[in-house]
Amino acid sequence: MRGGAGGANLLALRSHNTALVLDLLRGAGAEGISRLELAERTGLTPQAVSKITARLRERGLAAEAGRRASTGGKPRTVLRLVPEAGHAIGVHLDRDELRAVLVDLDGAVVGERRVPLDLGAGADAVVEAVAGTARELTADTLCPPDGSVAAVSTPRPPDGSVAAVSTPRPPGGPVAAVSTPRPPDGPVAAASTPRPPDSPLPAAPTPRPPDGTLAAAPTLLGLGVALPGPLDHVRGVLHRVTGFPEWDGFPLRDALEERLGVPVVVDKDTNAAALGLTAGGDRGPATASFAYLHLGTGLGAGLVIGGAVHRGARTGAGEFGHQVIQLDGPPCTCGARGCIEALCLAAVGRGDLAEAARVLGAGAANLAGLLDIDLVLLGGRTVAAAPGAFVEGVGAVLDARARREGGREGAVPVRIAPGGARGVAEGAAQLLLAPLFGRGDGG
């Protein structure tokens, strides 16, 4: 399925010029932007901008944000994006858990689920877990059972955090995923925020999907799924997922589209995270070329070159963890020996984070030498547990490389990627959203 009732109007709007206008509306925020400014910044004629914005307003994607004084004549009407007019679900399938987020057009998280998962439990079990979580998230956030208005997003703070769905971390305890309390032995509840008093109400609440599909949710564009590779991004087919060879040849995209009745895009976890960073506009890194290194239950890289995610001719780029750097080294789950992933995870298992960071730094230095990237971003749960150790250790290896080579530019900087534990899931949602704004090819 390459389309569905839910979100079909939004997907039908895909065009280069419309994407330019939508991206500027999103970037303008609540203050909005005038049609004249849109024409000046896109290079489109005022007539073309008027037609595009009229269509966007008709579809509920844009609304008036007030009036602004002009240099002459009557005040200009300014327009803004309506974030709650569209949504996408992003799913991060890790080897031992599933995290799903529902985001609006602005990329703000309006609902979240996190449940345990065994990626080796078999295709039927995993597909049903994804489908069931997506149904719950959609029903609870977009289709309330009591007929109340669906949850709306709140503006994202300047630092990129999502205050509406975070809670203080208990002393010595894990960070709570959302603001609503988690049942003692149940999944994380969906997070939502109250609708502002001056926000327009929809004509009627959306009914719960009767047949198990998500097509009844009119603002839902679809589902993005991110998981370890290798896989075929274009066809949505998995290859021999590292550590889980039984997935080889499984058509995950088609299986989920059949169950859910909405478009699905499948990509590697690291690519999704990199896309999320690239599509984040001002919230993303201020550079066109960087590597996102994800160290969690495995190790991989998302590569952004010239402002676009680099997937390669067969969408297999970024298998960073399976560079062999020690011949006849310890065996890796991929079947080779001496891979960076095997060495790095072995060091983590011993509690030797300095060695893990040094190995990761060796791989990062290889990337810097091969691709001449501007920045290395680190993410994943293992990095999140000791961010300082990894930034310092990886940075030290890159510093040493820069001193050996000389030159005036210095070492490639190393930072922690924004987005935290939700970075991959939010990036998965961008597989649907980013193309609407001209910031990624998604599917």
Side-chain angles (χ1 to χ4, degrees):
M1 166 179 289
R2 295 288 83 198
N9 288 341
L10 282 75
L11 295 173
L13 286 171
R14 285 189 183 182
S15 76
H16 175 69
N17 290 345
T18 302
L20 292 176
V21 172
L22 279 170
D23 195 42
L24 288 173
L25 286 170
R26 181 176 64 168
E31 294 183 2
I33 185 171
S34 71
R35 293 177 182 84
L36 180 60
E37 291 173 288
L38 288 170
E40 291 173 347
R41 295 181 62 179
T42 61
L44 300 173
T45 65
Q47 294 84 352
V49 168
S50 292
K51 288 181 180 179
I52 291 171
T53 54
R55 189 160 67 250
L56 293 177
R57 293 186 65 183
E58 180 183 343
R59 302 287 179 89
L61 291 165
E64 286 192 10
R67 296 183 180 274
R68 187 177 299 162
S70 63
T71 54
K74 62 181 182 180
R76 298 173 187 165
T77 299
V78 292
L79 303 173
R80 63 174 179 86
L81 182 72
V82 180
E84 61 269 27
H87 298 87
I89 295 174
V91 175
H92 179 195
L93 282 178
D94 209 340
R95 291 167 173 85
D96 59 359
E97 75 170 21
L98 182 160
R99 185 187 294 267
V101 297
L102 182 75
V103 306
D104 65 14
L105 292 179
D106 201 33
V109 175
V110 298
E112 182 175 10
R113 286 286 189 280
R114 181 182 170 197
V115 296
L117 175 82
D118 178 5
L119 196 58
D124 288 344
V126 173
V127 169
E128 184 51 44
V130 175
T133 302
R135 292 187 195 107
E136 290 177 7
L137 195 52
T138 303
D140 290 348
T141 313
L142 297 182
C143 315
D146 59 359
S148 60
V149 177
V152 210
S153 61
T154 52
R156 186 187 292 262
D159 62 358
S161 61
V162 187
V165 292
S166 63
T167 53
R169 178 172 184 163
V175 175
V178 290
S179 59
T180 46
R182 178 171 183 166
D185 52 5
V188 174
S192 63
T193 55
R195 178 180 291 271
D198 58 348
S199 186
L201 299 178
T206 305
R208 284 175 174 261
D211 56 357
T213 72
L214 305 181
T219 66
L220 186 66
L221 279 77
L223 184 81
V225 182
L227 71 162
L231 53 80
D232 184 334
H233 163 67
V234 174
R235 295 168 53 233
V237 174
L238 307 188
H239 295 323
R240 292 175 63 88
V241 175
T242 304
F244 302 91
E246 64 272 20
W247 281 101
D248 190 22
F250 183 76
L252 181 61
R253 182 192 71 191
D254 292 349
L256 286 170
E257 286 186 342
E258 182 178 350
R259 295 218 185 186
L260 296 175
V262 295
V264 175
V265 181
V266 175
D267 207 348
K268 293 200 299 186
D269 47 10
T270 50
N271 287 343
L275 176 63
L277 293 168
T278 304
D282 294 338
R283 296 189 292 267
T287 179
S289 298
F290 65 88
Y292 167 76
L293 307 184
H294 185 94
L295 179 59
T297 57
L299 174 61
L303 306 175
V304 173
I305 301 174
V309 176
H310 177 73
R311 295 186 176 92
R314 291 168 294 279
T315 71
E319 289 298 315
F320 169 83
H322 302 292
Q323 301 175 65
V324 175
I325 62 171
Q326 182 181 329
L327 296 178
D328 300 323
C332 180
T333 53
C334 72
R337 303 182 71 92
C339 293
I340 291 180
E341 177 177 300
L343 295 167
C344 200
L345 293 180
V348 171
R350 298 191 303 269
D352 191 349
L353 295 185
E355 175 64 9
R358 188 179 72 87
V359 172
L360 186 58
N366 288 343
L367 277 183
L370 285 169
L371 301 177
D372 195 23
I373 52 178
D374 298 322
L375 175 66
V376 171
L377 293 173
L378 306 179
R381 70 173 78 167
T382 303
V383 170
F390 280 98
V391 169
E392 181 179 351
V394 173
V397 178
L398 289 170
D399 285 342
R401 176 183 176 274
R403 287 196 300 271
R404 288 195 305 272
E405 293 185 346
R408 295 175 298 175
E409 299 301 323
V412 176
V414 181
R415 299 175 193 152
I416 297 297
R422 287 196 298 237
V424 174
E426 291 186 45
Q430 289 295 334
L431 292 167
L432 276 299
L433 291 181
L436 288 177
F437 300 96
R439 289 185 171 266
D441 57 2

